Amino acid sequence: MSSTYRTSYLRALFSGCVILLLATITHAQNLLEVVDVDLLVQREQLQQQMAELESTLGQYDPALIEVLSSLADSSALLNLFSEASTLLGRSLQIQRVSLGLFTPEQIPLILTKMEIDERAGDWETVNESMDYLYWLLIEKNVSQGEALINSLIQLSEFHLRGVVGDTADLQAHHYQQAYKITYQALTISEESFGPYGPRLIDLHLSLIHI
């Protein structure tokens, strides 16, 4: 193969690769645009549904919680984390007004809001939520048994994520809290279920690796 032919061949191959790459990028962008359009249509429908519920049931009816949570999900998919957090905060407010301040039903919402605030890099708000959740679980005894253990494990995992995501001056705090909360989950598991309680081995291993 002559050098001229080889050069022409390589140029043609390179041009083909570039064209294929550009086509792939364009296709991906088109797909994203379709997804965004679908999300925006869904958000508009949810907003309309929420407005209708508010006009007929008021601003603090529990029926709003599901719509607000769905709106928060769509906001998070569009990277509108501040908006998603605000919507979840309102869901929590309605839940506390309708069910009371110290109920286990709010725990999943708190954890979801923590996820959103973490994705936004708002560790100040995450820390406030973690403190409040710990107070609910330990001081107000809003949960018990396996549900309590699972919530404590999730809370401990958030503190471990805070070691990396939060500011450097709070690394030691997050390590200490993660160890303390995991130990509490272990103790509760042993007291509630004996030496063969659920996730007991996992909790022992977690303490070793924190």
Side-chain angles (χ1 to χ4, degrees):
M1 182 184 293
S2 67
S3 60
T4 302
Y5 178 80
R6 185 184 296 111
T7 301
S8 299
Y9 173 78
L10 291 174
R11 284 177 178 172
L13 181 62
F14 178 75
S15 298
C17 290
V18 170
I19 292 170
L20 179 61
L21 177 61
L22 290 174
T24 302
I25 292 172
T26 301
H27 179 65
Q29 289 175 334
N30 290 337
L31 286 176
L32 286 173
E33 288 174 1
V34 170
V35 172
D36 287 348
V37 168
D38 290 342
L39 280 174
L40 291 173
V41 170
Q42 181 190 44
R43 277 168 56 79
E44 186 176 344
Q45 292 172 344
L46 288 168
Q47 288 168 340
Q48 182 178 352
Q49 183 182 353
M50 187 172 69
E52 292 171 355
L53 287 173
E54 285 178 327
S55 66
T56 56
L57 302 175
Q59 294 190 339
Y60 292 97
D61 192 277
L64 289 168
I65 293 175
E66 183 178 353
V67 181
L68 285 165
S69 297
S70 297
L71 267 173
D73 289 341
S74 67
S75 297
L77 288 172
L78 292 168
N79 295 327
L80 301 173
F81 299 124
S82 178
E83 180 178 303
S85 179
T86 300
L87 290 165
L88 289 171
R90 188 177 170 199
S91 294
L92 279 167
Q93 185 181 24
I94 293 172
Q95 197 171 67
R96 288 164 184 162
V97 168
S98 60
L99 299 178
L101 293 175
F102 313 124
T103 60
E105 287 80 7
Q106 63 186 295
I107 294 174
L109 275 177
I110 294 172
L111 289 168
T112 301
K113 188 174 184 300
M114 285 163 56
E115 291 274 0
I116 295 297
D117 291 329
E118 181 197 8
R119 291 175 65 186
D122 185 3
W123 274 97
E124 182 178 354
T125 302
V126 175
N127 288 331
E128 291 174 357
S129 295
M130 286 196 290
D131 290 343
Y132 179 74
L133 180 56
Y134 181 80
W135 179 73
L136 276 180
L137 294 171
I138 301 301
E139 300 297 330
K140 292 301 177 181
N141 300 311
V142 299
S143 185
Q144 55 186 317
E146 191 169 354
L148 172 58
I149 294 166
N150 289 335
S151 294
L152 287 172
I153 289 171
Q154 288 177 280
L155 184 54
S156 175
E157 289 171 349
F158 262 102
H159 274 293
L160 289 176
R161 285 148 71 171
V163 172
V164 177
D166 204 355
T167 56
D169 60 305
L170 289 175
Q171 284 184 347
H173 166 75
H174 285 301
Y175 269 125
Q176 291 165 359
Q177 290 298 108
Y179 187 91
K180 180 182 77 173
I181 293 168
T182 301
Y183 185 80
Q184 286 177 304
L186 175 62
T187 302
I188 292 168
S189 180
E190 289 176 334
E191 291 175 351
S192 302
F193 304 102
Y196 304 105
R199 307 191 70 170
L200 202 57
I201 294 176
D202 291 339
L203 288 167
H204 277 291
L205 290 174
S206 294
L207 282 176
I208 293 172
H209 290 105
I210 289 176

